[in-house]
Structure formats: C-alpha cells, structure tokens
Amino acid sequence: MGVQDAEPDAALAAGPQGSQQGSKTEPQSREADLLAELAAAPSPEIADRAERDLRAEWSKSGSAAMDLLLKRGRDALEVGEIDTAIGHLTALTDHAPGFAEGWSTLALAYYAADRLGPAMDALEHTLALNPNHFGALQGVGAIHEELGDLDLAYRAYSRVVELRPYDETVTEAIDRLETQVKGVSL
C-alpha cells in the first residue's frame, strides 16, 4: 500500500484493546491496563507515568539481540546518524517482523530522512501489529497532513487523543484542522 492510498481506518476503528504482539497474556494484560490508565488519567502527570510505562512495555522484544538493535537504532537517530539508524532498524524488522516498536522506530528514521513512502509503510506495519500505538497514529496524521489529506490526518490525530488525552501537540493539530475538515457551524 502506498502513501497516497494508505488509510488508517482499521487502526482508527480499533478500540483500546491490547496490541497484536505475540501471544503472551501477561504483557498484553499489562499493556491493556496501562492503555486504560492512560486514557482515563485525571492529570497530565499520571498520564506521563502511564505513557512511560507503556512505551517501556512496547520496547521489550523478548530478545536481547533485538533489543540491542532497537537501542542502536534509537541512539543513532538521537545523534542524527539517520542512515546508520535505518540500517540497524531495518535489520531489526528483518529479524523480528512481529515487533511493532521496531517498525515504529524505523518509521521515525525514514521520516527524519524525508522518505515519507517508506515511513508510511513502516507505520502501517506498526499499526497492523499494535493498533493502539499512539505514536504511529500521530505519525500517520503528520504524514497525511503534510501530503494535504487533512481528513485522514484529522481522524488519526483524533484517535491519538482518545488514547492519550493530554497530548498538546496533537490537540493543537486537531484545532488547526477542525475547521478545514468539518467546516464552520452557522
């Protein structure tokens, strides 16, 4: 599926159930609990803690070697070594195609390299594995907004706010797009 015809409908329609990563009951239960806590957080501080814990859960591949590739990819991204990051993260997704966080981080690297098509493809892989990955949904929104598909951008951002209600960047994006997508009420 290409960038132009990519639709986040399946991910947008998915509720706050656990991700499709693996068949382990315990991590999925922990993930579901953290997603519920994040969505219902009464304050940004509680939401931040739940989000940190959730991101830590998502970053566990179950393999020390795959975790090392993820770390190396993230480290390379952090210092602006985009090609190196893409190399590590491509190796990760080749060896662990069912690890959603590997795809999500690869999408960030492609986006940093201004390669929107591969970034969208990696986001689609992420959301197929974890439809509640708010970072991937935010990426889908950003790419669609950049490409001028404001309706899909708005829908993706709206799903992010359902999962992560205290995200100011996404709330601002929704406010920015709302009039253009929904029009003006009389």
Side-chain angles (χ1 to χ4, degrees):
M1 186 179 277
V3 172
Q4 296 298 335
D5 57 345
E7 290 198 40
D9 287 339
L12 295 175
Q17 71 275 13
S19 77
Q20 304 303 311
Q21 284 181 297
S23 60
K24 300 176 198 167
T25 316
E26 178 60 30
Q28 284 185 347
S29 174
R30 172 93 170 119
E31 179 181 340
D33 291 346
L34 289 168
L35 280 166
E37 184 179 335
L38 179 59
S43 71
E45 296 77 26
I46 292 172
D48 286 346
R49 185 191 50 73
E51 183 177 332
R52 269 192 315 277
D53 292 349
L54 187 56
R55 287 184 185 274
E57 280 297 311
W58 286 346
S59 294
K60 296 175 186 174
S61 71
S63 162
M66 297 307 106
D67 290 348
L68 180 60
L69 283 172
L70 179 63
K71 181 183 180 338
R72 286 183 175 170
R74 285 177 170 167
D75 289 347
L77 258 178
E78 193 173 305
V79 296
E81 295 177 3
I82 306 304
D83 289 338
T84 301
I86 290 172
H88 288 306
L89 297 165
T90 299
L92 172 59
T93 56
D94 286 348
H95 293 291
F99 181 43
E101 196 60 25
W103 288 105
S104 174
T105 310
L106 179 59
L108 289 172
Y110 280 136
Y111 190 82
D114 202 29
R115 296 176 60 190
L116 301 184
M120 184 61 86
D121 183 63
L123 291 169
E124 290 172 1
H125 277 89
T126 304
L127 292 169
L129 295 164
N130 180 356
N132 296 310
H133 197 295
F134 43 78
L137 285 163
Q138 186 171 352
V140 167
I143 290 173
H144 280 297
E145 185 174 3
E146 194 168 323
L147 295 174
D149 192 342
L150 304 184
D151 182 56
L152 281 177
Y154 181 83
R155 290 172 40 211
Y157 290 144
S158 295
R159 180 71 180 119
V160 172
V161 171
E162 290 174 18
L163 295 166
R164 189 171 74 192
Y166 292 102
D167 189 319
E168 289 180 26
T169 303
V170 174
T171 303
E172 289 170 7
I174 289 171
D175 291 344
R176 181 177 61 248
L177 296 176
E178 189 163 29
T179 303
Q180 296 173 59
V181 171
K182 291 187 173 186
V184 178
S185 296
L186 299 177

